Amino acid sequence: MSRAIQQAQLAQDMKRLKKQLQRLCQDRLDVADGKRLRVLDLACGECFEAEMLSKALRDLASKDAHPLDLNVEFVGADIREAEIGRAAERCGSGPEGIDYRFLVKDGQKVAQDADLDEPFDVVFVRHQNYYLGGKEWHALFEQSLEKLAPEGKLVITSYFDHEHELAKGAIQKVGGELIDDIANREARALQTKGKHVDKRLAMFRRRER
Ligand SMILES: C[S@@+](CC[C@H](N)C(=O)[O-])C[C@H]1O[C@@H](n2cnc3c(N)ncnc32)[C@H](O)[C@@H]1O
């Protein structure tokens, strides 16, 4: 497949994901005037969604009377160094009031990590990989919930319906409370049967302890 086609597909995928994220996040995030919105994209790989996600969250604030007064602090983290390197190279230091940082981290151990000590308003896990190691993902989800600010939200996306259900069950088991679960009906089908780009999305808060 040519690079141009790949780029066009990626752009379409991002457009669809943005639409679904806005549907899921509208009126559910604290995007008050002058706020610093802290976003952790965990297991982000090369993080092709970084720019879209930051802008989508800023656009949520634009519905208010003060369109630009929301600063997004974006941290992308993944266990793979090469992917994190490429993400950092692509996003640079971030234009338009968005501050990007990319870190090599094991998502199973972020709760006590000194680089990530401030809580996050949004933890995003795109295309969680529950099928490739349930135990590991239980730990990663638990740590994601630990990183949330009191009103913070965990948002996941999944390639497969069944994998999504497994991840939802795991998150609820480790202390998450399901807020909403939506299907992306425009999601692009991939070669593997049943696999679609961002086929399902769900949002959670941390259950009160
Ligand atoms: C299916 S990929 C999704 C990547 C990216 N979020 C996307 O949607 O393109 C799953 C990602 O989880 C990362 N991952 C797996 N275990 C991890 C861990 N313990 N800590 C951090 N990242 C992990 C992998 O390196 C990989 O980038």
Side-chain angles (χ1 to χ4, degrees):
M1 190 191 299
S2 78
R3 198 170 153 71
I5 294 178
Q6 277 180 349
Q7 295 287 0
Q9 280 185 340
L10 180 66
Q12 282 302 314
D13 293 341
M14 288 304 133
K15 208 169 154 186
R16 294 183 192 115
L17 178 56
K18 182 177 183 189
K19 186 170 153 188
Q20 299 307 325
L21 280 171
Q22 291 189 322
R23 190 177 147 208
L24 192 63
C25 295
Q26 190 68 57
D27 301 326
R28 287 179 169 147
L29 298 180
D30 178 8
V31 285
D33 189 15
K35 188 173 162 68
R36 254 180 352 132
L37 193 80
R38 284 178 45 81
V39 181
L40 172 62
D41 189 336
L42 195 54
C44 69
E46 214 168 322
C47 212
F48 291 110
E49 67 275 14
E51 299 94 324
M52 177 283 298
L53 179 58
S54 312
K55 288 189 185 119
L57 295 171
R58 276 169 66 91
D59 286 357
L60 283 175
S62 302
K63 298 208 180 302
D64 290 345
H66 312 284
L68 291 177
D69 209 3
L70 179 83
N71 290 313
V72 176
E73 283 182 23
F74 186 101
V75 180
D78 196 281
I79 202 159
R80 292 185 296 169
E81 207 171 323
E83 278 69 10
I84 284 297
R86 285 198 288 273
E89 206 170 294
R90 199 188 66 250
C91 292
S93 58
E96 298 175 34
I98 299 166
D99 172 22
Y100 292 105
R101 259 196 320 153
F102 290 94
L103 306 170
V104 178
K105 296 286 172 194
D106 180 350
Q108 297 181 84
K109 298 181 189 155
V110 287
Q112 305 302 328
D113 193 298
D115 288 335
L116 302 169
D117 57 350
E118 260 194 86
F120 288 87
D121 301 290
V122 179
V123 176
F124 184 59
V125 183
R126 181 174 183 233
H127 292 142
Q128 53 78 23
N129 239 184
Y130 194 89
Y131 281 156
L132 283 191
K135 242 189 182 172
E136 183 180 332
W137 286 91
H138 275 251
L140 192 143
F141 293 142
E142 192 169 22
Q143 299 274 302
S144 303
L145 292 166
E146 283 291 322
K147 297 289 1 159
L148 290 177
E151 296 299 317
K153 306 291 184 309
L154 167 64
V155 174
I156 66 162
T157 86
S158 310
Y159 281 126
F160 297 94
D161 286 325
H162 179 244
E163 192 177 43
H164 189 70
E165 294 306 325
L166 293 176
K168 271 169 52 189
I171 293 170
Q172 290 174 96
K173 202 166 170 184
V174 298
E177 182 185 325
L178 182 67
I179 297 172
D180 201 359
D181 176 14
I182 62 175
N184 177 4
R185 308 233 175 264
E186 298 168 345
R188 177 166 61 92
L190 297 169
Q191 265 188 346
T192 306
K193 193 166 179 267
K195 185 175 186 182
H196 292 67
V197 177
D198 302 303
K199 187 174 194 190
R200 299 274 298 276
L201 291 86
M203 177 186 267
F204 304 82
R205 64 169 68 88
R206 202 169 55 209
R207 205 180 305 124
E208 276 182 40
R209 289 179 270 206

